[in-house]
Amino acid sequence: MTTATAAAADTTLLYKFDDGATLPIDMGGWSQETVRVQFLKMRVKGEYAKAATGSCKPGSVIGVSPHRPQTVDTGDTVKVTLCAG
């Protein structure tokens, strides 16, 4: 797995619908506001933290937990790591 592939995996949330179907959503680079709106639609809660990294856009998503292959159901809480700049 390349670094780019690993990074994409760390920012990809795997949402599980009531019927068992899943939808991968790569949130890498999204703003906190965009994530918040998506979570409202999915009825998922978000916890936000910032982390310093070398090269990323401040305020953009650099990680989600849980991330695929783990699934996220309605009502779950997702930890979102944002770039501190």
Side-chain angles (χ1 to χ4, degrees):
M1 185 179 299
T2 66
T3 303
T5 304
D10 290 347
T11 59
T12 301
L13 181 143
L14 190 58
Y15 183 71
K16 185 176 176 184
F17 293 95
D18 293 337
D19 66 0
T22 58
L23 175 68
I25 304 170
D26 183 4
M27 297 185 163
W30 289 20
S31 70
Q32 182 175 348
E33 180 61 18
T34 303
V35 172
R36 189 187 68 77
V37 169
Q38 183 64 43
F39 283 178
L40 285 172
K41 292 176 184 177
M42 296 164 45
R43 296 174 293 170
V44 170
K45 299 172 193 152
E47 291 181 357
Y48 301 90
K50 291 189 177 182
T53 62
S55 58
C56 59
K57 181 179 175 185
S60 64
V61 174
I62 56 173
V64 295
S65 180
H67 55 76
R68 74 173 173 193
Q70 296 174 313
T71 58
V72 174
D73 295 304
T74 298
D76 285 353
T77 298
V78 177
K79 294 179 181 178
V80 180
T81 305
L82 303 167
C83 178

